Amino acid sequence: MLSAILVPYGIFVIKKDESETDETQSIENLTKNIVYFKKFDEEDIPSIMYELRQDANEKKAELKQALIEEITELKNKEAEESEESEEAEGIEPIDIAVEELETISFEASKIRPENDAMRSVMYELGLEYGVFEDLEDDFLNKMNEWTVQYTKMMMKRSSQAKDKLIVQTVNALDNLDETLNLFSERLREWYSLYFPEMDNIVKKQDAYVQLVSEYGFRENYTRTRLKEEMPQNLARTLSLAAKKSMGAEISEVDLQIIKSLANEIHNLYKYREELQAYLEVSMTEVAPNLTKIAGPSIGARLISLAGGMDRLSILPGSTIQVIGAEKALFAHLRERADSPKHGIIFQHPYIQGATGWTRGKISRAIACKMSIAIKADMSGNYIADTLSEQIDKKVADIKVKFPKPPVKKKSKRPQGKGRPSRPGKPGAGKPQRRDGRNDDRRRDDKKRDGRRDSRVDGRRDDRDSRDNRGKDNKGRRDGRNDDRRNEKSSKPTRDGKSRDSKPNNANKGGKAGKGEKRKVERVVIGKTSSKINK
Amino acid sequence: MAKVKEKFDNVFELDLGDGIERIGTKSLVPNKRVYGEKLVNVKNTEYRVWNPNKSKLGASIINGLKEMPIKKGSKVLYLGASAGTTPSHVADIAEDSPVYAVEFAPRIMREFIESCEGRKNLFPILGDANKPDEYANIVEKVDVIFEDVAQPNQAEILIKNAKWFLKEGGYGMISIKARSVDVTENPRVIFEAQKEIMEQNGFKIVDAINIEPFEKDHMLFVGIWNGQ
């Protein structure tokens, strides 16, 4: 039985007696049984190490093939020479039958006694076979050089990986959104000194910015000119407002500096679009399945939050479902808070459009398919069409199976647990949320949250004393939840959103950008609505 | 003037006259810092001060490690090399014997690889300590495995690697971070459990050092490997 043993600098072929049991496989036997040694080219060693790590099976097959060819050739030569002269000169005959070659076993992924024995004398053999001059300087120098080269190749691969580029792009987008919001707010404040009415008329940030950079002076807001860019009624309101504006008069110089800010913001918006387009292209290229199912934005974010495609591909669906809702998740695990239904996959249109009581089920179905999709992406298959069909079917099934909210159970807790049912208003949130004013409402939501806090604090105190909950923030979180539950009955639609997005934002302090998820979507949604407006 | 006393093989006690207990190793690459440590020159030999706050092995030596398995000439497999703080000292101790340093994260490897380029006996391997077969064709049988990976299955990783690479009678050293095994459990319970795992799988624990105050909830175990 022949077995090949890989060492960094070459391959040893060992002939193993059938009679020899594993126990008798000692080091002496091992060295005695070496029938062939193939030395690698020293320059190739790092790349061989590298390829073995990339795809061990393929590389081993390749090495095996090369080894067989080499030995066969040598054997042929040997045979020729022995025909010419009776005694083969100089060359030691290779003790391998050609038929045996095919059976060489290249197993190295489990512990075998011969490999184990080889490992004890790996580098001593190298000395014996003339790979190293000595085991101190030469061995150390060479091994150091090989491993450093090899590790550098590995690093090159990992930093070349396209998914890392995607992660950076997503982060850049988030930073950009932050900046854009900041600057747009500033521009509004600034320009409002001159033309305060426009702040209320043009809600969309990029439309506002464009108007400022193009029009500037109030006199320019004529109806005829505006009509080309926006609906008639809006053009009329705006031109009327411009005529009757109560804003202060400013000079050309003052206006110029505001206009340059508007120009800069405008350019940033353009760059943002570019980034978004680039993200979409590269996502389709890198993860076609995931992109098809989750969309480029969610897909990229999942990759970014998981820290790369390879990491994402080993996550189960249940983890993918709550990626981005870590705070809610840990609150659930630690205290008895409700489990989050969805993390960043919330932005998926199916989940957004789902009614509250099916949302968790749909999220789970979609997250599972995403998990399959990213695995397929890693192995290079394209199965997205089947997957999305399955999702469609599953979602439809869920909708049919759960047409009505479950009957609300009487909970032990006074304020009721969870948000399963909204008696009286099933699905009330759905149409509202889809309309273009989405972003404004969300902003309101945030403001209200702030107020809510102060209200909660008072309530929290007496809760604390009753429940004897220790930590401040714990109590507060609970308090906030409960409070939201209260409010939910009057405003059901906001609930899921605020619950999942808010705690996240707070949680993500450390990692830049994660908290901005919502804002991105806001801009995207807004954009479509602005097109309609125009 | 600084006084030097050999504490273990190639590990020195440095007395700089300020009453602080310091240890250090002879620098294999003079005039070069790995992590911003202090360099001390005594009688034409350069020593690198071993900062116990940054190295768990250094901390456990200061906290009274009975015996130091890593000696001059020891072959070492170091799992979880990170940026190379401790491996550089281990390489100093081993002197002309190889130290195979496995690290999983490419990002930190970028820093580690720099210190490897000078230290000839330090071999960087980008790989997962959980999968010894990935580097089985590179690493030979070693005298000591040192592990510092902060994974929930730390002890299993050590055992796995010991089966592949540790000589019989060789030493396994593991720095257990209780917080990465289970956040909620009492560290003492975790240490007992991890110790038990190692003892059931062929390690005889000979030393256990708590490295408080340098690291919280960390324990360094030294075990002798008795085959399977």
Side-chain angles (χ1 to χ4, degrees), chain A residues 290 294 297-308 312 320 323 344-345 370:
Chain A
L290 187 66
S297 175
I298 301 178
R301 253 148 239 286
L302 282 174
I303 292 178
S304 158
L305 289 174
L312 183 62
I320 290 180
I323 283 184
I344 94 128
I345 63 164
M370 284 180 183

mmCIF file of all heavy atoms in Angstrom, chain A residues 290 294 297-308 312 320 323 344-345 370:
data_model
loop_
_atom_site.group_PDB
_atom_site.id
_atom_site.type_symbol
_atom_site.label_atom_id
_atom_site.label_comp_id
_atom_site.label_asym_id
_atom_site.label_seq_id
_atom_site.Cartn_x
_atom_site.Cartn_y
_atom_site.Cartn_z
ATOM 1 N N LEU A 290 -28.345 36.129 -3.207
ATOM 2 C CA LEU A 290 -28.772 36.978 -2.100
ATOM 3 C C LEU A 290 -29.365 38.277 -2.625
ATOM 4 O O LEU A 290 -30.378 38.767 -2.122
ATOM 5 C CB LEU A 290 -27.582 37.265 -1.187
ATOM 6 C CG LEU A 290 -27.905 38.011 0.098
ATOM 7 C CD1 LEU A 290 -28.769 37.158 0.987
ATOM 8 C CD2 LEU A 290 -26.645 38.403 0.833
ATOM 9 N N ALA A 294 -32.882 39.332 -1.431
ATOM 10 C CA ALA A 294 -32.925 40.376 -0.412
ATOM 11 C C ALA A 294 -32.855 41.770 -1.007
ATOM 12 O O ALA A 294 -33.211 42.739 -0.347
ATOM 13 C CB ALA A 294 -31.779 40.174 0.566
ATOM 14 N N SER A 297 -29.450 46.346 -1.290
ATOM 15 C CA SER A 297 -29.209 47.118 -0.072
ATOM 16 C C SER A 297 -29.202 46.224 1.170
ATOM 17 O O SER A 297 -28.252 46.232 1.948
ATOM 18 C CB SER A 297 -30.286 48.191 0.039
ATOM 19 O OG SER A 297 -30.147 48.862 1.239
ATOM 20 N N ILE A 298 -30.234 45.424 1.328
ATOM 21 C CA ILE A 298 -30.284 44.547 2.501
ATOM 22 C C ILE A 298 -29.161 43.516 2.429
ATOM 23 O O ILE A 298 -28.492 43.234 3.430
ATOM 24 C CB ILE A 298 -31.640 43.811 2.590
ATOM 25 C CG1 ILE A 298 -32.788 44.812 2.664
ATOM 26 C CG2 ILE A 298 -31.677 42.903 3.793
ATOM 27 C CD1 ILE A 298 -34.144 44.175 2.696
ATOM 28 N N GLY A 299 -28.951 42.983 1.231
ATOM 29 C CA GLY A 299 -27.903 41.976 1.074
ATOM 30 C C GLY A 299 -26.558 42.508 1.504
ATOM 31 O O GLY A 299 -25.833 41.875 2.272
ATOM 32 N N ALA A 300 -26.237 43.710 1.016
ATOM 33 C CA ALA A 300 -24.940 44.303 1.350
ATOM 34 C C ALA A 300 -24.838 44.558 2.845
ATOM 35 O O ALA A 300 -23.799 44.349 3.465
ATOM 36 C CB ALA A 300 -24.763 45.604 0.582
ATOM 37 N N ARG A 301 -25.930 44.999 3.414
ATOM 38 C CA ARG A 301 -25.915 45.272 4.846
ATOM 39 C C ARG A 301 -25.733 43.997 5.668
ATOM 40 O O ARG A 301 -25.054 43.986 6.691
ATOM 41 C CB ARG A 301 -27.214 45.945 5.262
ATOM 42 C CG ARG A 301 -27.055 47.386 5.570
ATOM 43 C CD ARG A 301 -28.290 48.148 5.210
ATOM 44 N NE ARG A 301 -27.929 49.159 4.244
ATOM 45 C CZ ARG A 301 -27.276 50.252 4.572
ATOM 46 N NH1 ARG A 301 -26.942 50.473 5.816
ATOM 47 N NH2 ARG A 301 -26.954 51.137 3.656
ATOM 48 N N LEU A 302 -26.365 42.942 5.198
ATOM 49 C CA LEU A 302 -26.196 41.667 5.907
ATOM 50 C C LEU A 302 -24.728 41.249 5.871
ATOM 51 O O LEU A 302 -24.151 40.853 6.889
ATOM 52 C CB LEU A 302 -27.051 40.577 5.262
ATOM 53 C CG LEU A 302 -28.538 40.604 5.587
ATOM 54 C CD1 LEU A 302 -29.270 39.559 4.769
ATOM 55 C CD2 LEU A 302 -28.765 40.365 7.065
ATOM 56 N N ILE A 303 -24.127 41.371 4.692
ATOM 57 C CA ILE A 303 -22.721 41.013 4.569
ATOM 58 C C ILE A 303 -21.883 41.893 5.487
ATOM 59 O O ILE A 303 -21.013 41.421 6.213
ATOM 60 C CB ILE A 303 -22.248 41.166 3.102
ATOM 61 C CG1 ILE A 303 -22.937 40.120 2.235
ATOM 62 C CG2 ILE A 303 -20.743 41.014 3.005
ATOM 63 C CD1 ILE A 303 -22.581 40.208 0.778
ATOM 64 N N SER A 304 -22.207 43.174 5.479
ATOM 65 C CA SER A 304 -21.437 44.108 6.294
ATOM 66 C C SER A 304 -21.571 43.793 7.776
ATOM 67 O O SER A 304 -20.592 43.775 8.514
ATOM 68 C CB SER A 304 -21.914 45.527 5.987
ATOM 69 O OG SER A 304 -21.608 46.383 7.024
ATOM 70 N N LEU A 305 -22.789 43.523 8.226
ATOM 71 C CA LEU A 305 -22.989 43.266 9.653
ATOM 72 C C LEU A 305 -22.383 41.928 10.070
ATOM 73 O O LEU A 305 -21.890 41.784 11.188
ATOM 74 C CB LEU A 305 -24.478 43.296 10.004
ATOM 75 C CG LEU A 305 -25.110 44.682 9.964
ATOM 76 C CD1 LEU A 305 -26.604 44.593 10.175
ATOM 77 C CD2 LEU A 305 -24.500 45.580 11.017
ATOM 78 N N ALA A 306 -22.437 40.958 9.163
ATOM 79 C CA ALA A 306 -21.863 39.662 9.511
ATOM 80 C C ALA A 306 -20.347 39.705 9.431
ATOM 81 O O ALA A 306 -19.668 38.864 10.012
ATOM 82 C CB ALA A 306 -22.409 38.584 8.581
ATOM 83 N N GLY A 307 -19.799 40.691 8.702
ATOM 84 C CA GLY A 307 -18.350 40.831 8.601
ATOM 85 C C GLY A 307 -17.764 40.070 7.426
ATOM 86 O O GLY A 307 -16.633 39.607 7.499
ATOM 87 N N GLY A 308 -18.522 39.928 6.374
ATOM 88 C CA GLY A 308 -17.983 39.264 5.191
ATOM 89 C C GLY A 308 -18.897 38.138 4.736
ATOM 90 O O GLY A 308 -19.710 37.642 5.510
ATOM 91 N N LEU A 312 -21.143 35.309 6.810
ATOM 92 C CA LEU A 312 -22.592 35.299 6.646
ATOM 93 C C LEU A 312 -23.058 33.917 6.197
ATOM 94 O O LEU A 312 -24.101 33.432 6.611
ATOM 95 C CB LEU A 312 -23.019 36.360 5.621
ATOM 96 C CG LEU A 312 -24.519 36.514 5.408
ATOM 97 C CD1 LEU A 312 -25.205 36.955 6.676
ATOM 98 C CD2 LEU A 312 -24.819 37.496 4.300
ATOM 99 N N ILE A 320 -29.746 35.240 10.854
ATOM 100 C CA ILE A 320 -29.911 36.266 9.818
ATOM 101 C C ILE A 320 -31.190 37.059 10.076
ATOM 102 O O ILE A 320 -31.245 38.264 9.885
ATOM 103 C CB ILE A 320 -29.949 35.597 8.424
ATOM 104 C CG1 ILE A 320 -28.553 35.058 8.113
ATOM 105 C CG2 ILE A 320 -30.403 36.575 7.362
ATOM 106 C CD1 ILE A 320 -28.436 34.375 6.785
ATOM 107 N N ILE A 323 -30.242 39.688 12.687
ATOM 108 C CA ILE A 323 -29.052 40.529 12.545
ATOM 109 C C ILE A 323 -29.508 41.981 12.504
ATOM 110 O O ILE A 323 -30.405 42.337 11.749
ATOM 111 C CB ILE A 323 -28.297 40.208 11.239
ATOM 112 C CG1 ILE A 323 -27.508 38.918 11.393
ATOM 113 C CG2 ILE A 323 -27.320 41.326 10.894
ATOM 114 C CD1 ILE A 323 -26.676 38.597 10.179
ATOM 115 N N ILE A 344 -32.309 43.726 10.332
ATOM 116 C CA ILE A 344 -32.283 44.653 9.209
ATOM 117 C C ILE A 344 -33.103 44.135 8.024
ATOM 118 O O ILE A 344 -33.433 44.887 7.141
ATOM 119 C CB ILE A 344 -30.847 45.018 8.803
ATOM 120 C CG1 ILE A 344 -30.344 44.125 7.691
ATOM 121 C CG2 ILE A 344 -29.885 45.000 9.941
ATOM 122 C CD1 ILE A 344 -29.836 45.016 6.617
ATOM 123 N N ILE A 345 -33.461 42.862 8.045
ATOM 124 C CA ILE A 345 -34.283 42.376 6.935
ATOM 125 C C ILE A 345 -35.680 42.985 6.966
ATOM 126 O O ILE A 345 -36.493 42.753 6.087
ATOM 127 C CB ILE A 345 -34.403 40.832 6.901
ATOM 128 C CG1 ILE A 345 -35.105 40.317 8.141
ATOM 129 C CG2 ILE A 345 -33.064 40.173 6.744
ATOM 130 C CD1 ILE A 345 -35.574 38.893 7.971
ATOM 131 N N MET A 370 -32.739 33.387 2.657
ATOM 132 C CA MET A 370 -31.522 34.196 2.492
ATOM 133 C C MET A 370 -30.311 33.372 2.902
ATOM 134 O O MET A 370 -29.254 33.433 2.271
ATOM 135 C CB MET A 370 -31.593 35.440 3.362
ATOM 136 C CG MET A 370 -32.512 36.505 2.814
ATOM 137 S SD MET A 370 -32.514 37.916 3.916
ATOM 138 C CE MET A 370 -33.720 38.934 3.107
#
